Every structure is written in C-alpha cells, then in structure tokens.
Amino acid sequence: MTKQLMMVGALAAALAACGPPPGPNYGGGGPGVSPTCPPWNDGVTKSGRYNDMMYLTAVGTAPSGGTCDNDAYAGISKIFNAQVSQVQSEFQGYRSQVNAAGGRMSEESTSITSLTRVFTDKVLKGVQIVERGTCTGNLVCLAALERTTAAGIIEQEIAALDAQIKAKVEQGDRAGNATDKFMAYSAAMELLAQRQVLYVDLRIVDGGRAGRVTSPYDANGLIAKFTGAQGRVKVGLKITGTEAAKIQTCLAQGLAQKGLKVMEGTSDVDVVIHGNLKYAKAGEVAGSVMVRANIDLRVTSMRTGRTIAAWSDDIKVGRETLETSVQLAIYRLCTQVTPTLVQKFQGN
C-alpha cells in the first residue's frame, strides 16, 4: 500500500509539473467555472462536456484557499491503479514463463506500482483541469484525459518497441553462435515485457484500440528461441583471490539455476567469467568484526576475445569473529553479484 501511495504522489507531482491550468477563479464565473456545486462533484455523475466514452476524468477537492489540482491529478492515476490490478495476473503468468526459461523478470516488474509507472510524460501532459467550482466551502475541480490523444501516444511507443523487438529477434536469428543468439533473444524478451506493460495502459485508455493492436512476436515463441540458445551456451568460471573457491562454487550454482551450462576445468566454453576477490577488515562496530569484500568481474567471449562486460561490486558486513564475517561477506556478495552478472552477460 505504501508503494502505491508513493506512486500516486509521484504521478501527481509529474502531472503538476506539466504546467499550470487556466487561472482558478473559483466561484466567480468565466469558462469552465461554476459558482455553485457542480453535479460531477460526487465522483459518479459525469460532466456533460466530458463524457466517459471520450475522456477519463477524476474529481479533486481542497479547502478554500488551497488548490485541488493535485488531488484531481492523483485521481487520474488511481484509475490506472485500479484498472491495472484487474489484469495483473496475466503478467504474473508471463513473468513465470520468462523466469522458468532462465529470464530475469522480478516480482516488482509485474507489480501494480511498476505497471502504472509507464504513463509517459507526453501522456501526462494530456491531463487538464477542465472545470472548477465550489462546494460547501471547498474548492472542486475536474481533471480530464482525452482517450484518443493518450491512446495515440501509447500506440506510438508500442510501435517503437515492436521495431526494437523485431531487430533483436532478427539479430538473434542471424547470429552464428549460441552466445550472440542468447544475448539477442534475452534483450528481445525484456523489450517484450515492456511492451506488455504499455499494452495495459492502452487497454485502460481505449480498450477498443487495444484490441486492434497485435504483437509481432508471441511470448511463447520468443521464450522457445531463448531457451534453445541458452541450452547451448557454455560458461567458464575463473575466480582468483581470497576464498575464491567458495564464491566460484556459489556463482556456478546461481548461474546454473538460471539455466546456463557452467563448465569448470575446461577451455571448451563460449564465455569466460573472470573474477578477483578481495577482502579486508573494516574495524569493529558494537562487538562485530566488520569486513569489506570486493570482487572485480569481467565477461569475455572466447570466440572474439572481446570483453562483453566488466564491473566491480562490494559489500560490508559484520559478525562476532573474523572468520564468520568473511563467510557472510562471501555469501552476501555472491547473492548480490549473481543477478547483475546475468544481466551483464545478457547484454543489458
């Protein structure tokens, strides 16, 4: 619930940043201003000028002397929040499919808060305060989003993603080795996940138009391509430094869980992950011996000799003894590194 409230607040702030609406002039006449309580104030009755078929609307309220604009903007975001929850399960299913095939979509990537974030700045600028009034001393205002305009913007973004997905799939189809295929298909799956999220927004804005937008690639077909390439990639591990054997074993297990074929003690591999592990005492805190562990990693293609990715990671932990602190540091560092390693390996 806290994350959802934070998202609503963030969207409200983004909407407010899009520029001020026409001057409020509450209760004083003028275009769009009612000196009395307008019927739409109850949140159920619709404005005659901004009907449900053509607009998404929300009512904002504020005490006299304040501004109800942000409350109305937040009301628009709540519409998306409520609607997205109805279709969330299908994307949970998609996440499960991808992860079962060795992908890396997190639970957060299909949560309500993540889905509602894909409401672009261009679309946000389409929300306007269109009517105002006063009710029992409170200021009220009506925010409206024109469905046609918003749907058009989202469709453009979906089309751009479709082009990127197509390019990545074709790149994978042309690739002459399993590693390049795997990296291209993996990137395509991540793009397809983004497309699915945008499609949710389109369904909310204009269900009819969403029904006419088809994806050029089926999720199951792409997962099959990815899985086929993944099963042929052979990964080598060469970790040096203090306690190297332990973190190498941990990394091998983590990569194997992602479906990668980890080969040790052989040069017959497609990709080699080189790493150097170091640790040092970092003082004492409340009776715990602090240890800082650091690992430098490099992913190299055996076919071309080029470095695919290189980075370092570190962690600081403490336990009662130096030995237990070192063991905890190695375990935590491995847990922290493995997801990033998979992302880097997949070219992201």
Side-chain angles (χ1 to χ4, degrees), residues 32-201:
V33 179
S34 171
T36 59
C37 189
W40 46 258
N41 176 66
D42 61 9
V44 178
T45 306
K46 298 300 179 181
S47 165
R49 296 167 58 195
Y50 300 95
N51 61 72
D52 236 7
M53 184 173 294
M54 297 179 64
Y55 296 89
L56 281 174
T57 60
V59 177
T61 306
S64 179
T67 173
C68 61
D69 296 11
N70 285 351
D71 194 41
Y73 292 142
I76 293 289
S77 73
K78 288 177 182 177
I79 293 173
F80 283 79
N81 210 25
Q83 294 290 332
V84 167
S85 65
Q86 297 178 19
V87 295
Q88 183 178 3
S89 60
E90 64 189 74
F91 294 98
Q92 295 284 12
Y94 175 72
R95 181 186 67 83
S96 297
Q97 282 183 290
V98 173
N99 288 352
R104 55 179 181 82
M105 289 183 70
S106 65
E107 185 77 23
E108 178 66 17
S109 69
T110 49
S111 72
I112 294 173
T113 52
S114 291
L115 291 172
T116 55
R117 72 170 176 78
V118 189
F119 196 35
T120 66
D121 289 343
K122 288 182 180 180
V123 177
L124 292 175
K125 288 178 182 177
V127 181
Q128 298 180 359
I129 303 299
V130 293
E131 293 187 13
R132 301 176 184 275
T134 57
C135 286
T136 61
N138 287 328
L139 309 178
V140 294
C141 54
L142 185 70
L145 172 65
E146 187 178 16
R147 293 179 184 272
T148 300
T149 300
I153 293 170
I154 296 172
E155 279 187 344
Q156 289 177 5
E157 292 196 3
I158 289 176
L161 281 174
D162 283 343
Q164 294 177 58
I165 294 169
K166 182 174 184 291
K168 285 296 181 183
V169 171
E170 291 178 348
Q171 179 183 332
D173 291 345
R174 292 194 305 268
N177 64 87
T179 301
D180 290 345
K181 284 181 179 291
F182 173 74
M183 292 173 65
Y185 293 146
S186 173
M189 288 209 306
E190 289 299 308
L191 291 169
L192 183 60
Q194 294 176 37
R195 185 196 192 278
Q196 297 278 50
V197 171
L198 276 173
Y199 185 70
V200 173
D201 279 347

Side-chain angles (χ1 to χ4, degrees), residues 247 276-279 292-298 310-316 329 332-341 344:
I247 199 165
N276 181 250
L277 176 67
K278 300 176 183 177
Y279 82 90
R292 182 179 295 279
N294 172 272
I295 190 167
D296 295 313
L297 288 163
R298 180 165 48 91
W311 83 105
S312 62
D313 212 337
D314 67 89
I315 195 168
K316 183 178 180 181
R332 292 243 181 114
L333 188 58
C334 175
T335 303
Q336 183 171 297
V337 162
T338 301
T340 306
L341 178 59
K344 298 285 186 181

